[in-house]
């Protein structure tokens, strides 16, 4: 499993809210940038934003919670989710929030209005990607050769084979293609491309890479970029 954190000061987990409107403006070097620290749960590891509702979601791995921050007031509330959450993603079209619970083998589905939680069993959820156009959620399974697809309407699941230990995952909504960075050694040094219409997966070797973990998509250029622990992008 790949670990990362957001911020902690004097043992207090926080999310820092910065006014992005000031970036890029010609202001004196000494000018203060407004920053608001919002307390979260213990061990914040992943952030997601719903721009429609102005809510920010923070997965807290050390206490199995999801912090919900109101973007207008910066007030925070907490929702109990599954064990050891590692990632969070939002479907802005349905106002559903998805939390990958690595320790519990589930994905929590949180209703953005009622904050009701439903848990879906998934092999070893690590990272998430949402296609809001098709209402599907893609879950990379840590230390497994597979990606789980969750139907957002029915919560039914489909397992798609990949190379070993899929990590980062990204969606191109224009082409309905899903890109997966495979960090495992069994069939590693590769990326998997999944056709969102047919669920057919194709492995693409990345011979110059080592331990590919991150992937992002440029939908306009129709290109995917995969970053490795060592080696080129």
């Amino acid at each position: 499993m790949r670990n990362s954190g957001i911020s902690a000061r004097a043992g207090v987990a926080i999310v820092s809210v910065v006014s992005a409107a000031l970036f890029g403006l010609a202001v004196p070097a000494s000018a203060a940038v407004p920053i608001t620290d919002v307390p979260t749960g213990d061990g914040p590891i992943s952030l997601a934003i719903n721009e429609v509702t102005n809510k920010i979601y923070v997965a807290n791995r050390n206490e199995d919670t999801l912090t919900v921050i109101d973007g207008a007031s910066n007030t925070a509330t907490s929702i109990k989710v599954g064990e050891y959450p590692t990632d969070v993603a939002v479907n802005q079209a349905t106002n559903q929030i998805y939390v990958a619970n690595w320790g519990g083998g589930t994905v929590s589905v949180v209703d953005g209005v009622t904050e009701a939680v439903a848990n879906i069993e998934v092999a070893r959820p690590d990272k998430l990607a949402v296609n809001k156009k098709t209402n599907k959620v893609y879950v990379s399974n840590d230390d497994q050769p597979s990606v789980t697809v969750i139907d957002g309407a029915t919560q039914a699941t489909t397992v798609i084979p990949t190379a070993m230990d899929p990590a980062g995952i990204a969606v191109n909504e224009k082409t309905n293609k899903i890109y997966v960075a495979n960090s495992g050694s069994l069939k590693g040094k590769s990326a998997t491309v999944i056709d969102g219409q047919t669920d057919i997966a194709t492995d693409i070797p990345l011979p110059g890479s080592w331990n590919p973990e991150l992937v992002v998509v440029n939908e306009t250029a129709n290109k995917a970029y995969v970053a490795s622990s060592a080696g080129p992008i």
Side-chain angles (χ1 to χ4, degrees):
M1 183 188 59
R2 294 145 287 273
N3 290 333
S4 62
I6 295 176
S7 182
R9 295 181 186 170
V12 178
I14 61 169
V15 168
S16 295
V17 183
V18 182
S19 177
L22 294 179
F23 289 116
L25 297 181
V27 296
S30 59
V33 176
I35 297 175
T36 302
D37 288 342
V38 180
T40 67
D42 186 18
I45 190 171
S46 180
L47 283 165
I49 295 175
N50 188 332
E51 296 181 0
V52 176
T53 63
N54 195 16
K55 296 284 181 67
I56 301 91
Y57 299 91
V58 187
N60 305 303
R61 62 185 172 185
N62 293 339
E63 65 175 34
D64 308 337
T65 61
L66 181 73
T67 297
V68 184
I69 301 172
D70 185 311
S73 64
N74 288 332
T75 56
T77 57
S78 181
I79 300 172
K80 192 70 174 179
V81 292
E83 183 181 350
Y84 208 89
T86 55
D87 201 15
V88 58
V90 172
N91 186 331
Q92 295 190 144
T94 62
N95 197 15
Q96 301 288 294
I97 301 90
Y98 298 88
V99 183
N101 304 309
W102 182 87
T106 63
V107 170
S108 294
V109 185
V110 181
D111 187 297
V113 176
T114 66
E115 296 187 350
V117 180
N119 290 315
I120 301 172
E121 291 188 5
V122 176
R124 200 66 181 273
D126 187 16
K127 301 300 181 185
L128 300 164
V130 172
N131 188 334
K132 65 179 182 293
K133 289 186 177 179
T134 62
N135 195 14
K136 289 188 177 180
V137 184
Y138 296 87
V139 189
S140 63
N141 291 310
D142 184 41
D143 203 28
Q144 304 285 324
S146 66
V147 162
T148 298
V149 186
I150 300 173
D151 186 310
T154 66
Q155 297 188 0
T157 60
T158 303
V159 177
I160 299 176
T162 65
M164 191 62 183
D165 201 5
I169 189 166
V171 170
N172 186 330
E173 292 188 345
K174 287 186 177 181
T175 62
N176 197 13
K177 295 289 197 305
I178 301 87
Y179 297 87
V180 187
N182 302 308
S183 64
S185 58
L186 181 61
K187 287 167 51 183
K189 297 185 178 181
S190 72
T192 297
V193 183
I194 301 171
D195 186 311
Q197 180 67 34
T198 64
D199 286 344
I200 294 175
T202 304
D203 254 10
I204 300 176
L206 303 174
S209 68
W210 184 83
N211 199 28
E213 289 194 0
L214 304 175
V215 58
V216 294
V217 170
N218 183 332
E219 292 189 343
T220 302
N222 193 20
K223 290 184 178 181
Y225 299 86
V226 181
S228 306
S229 298
I233 293 179

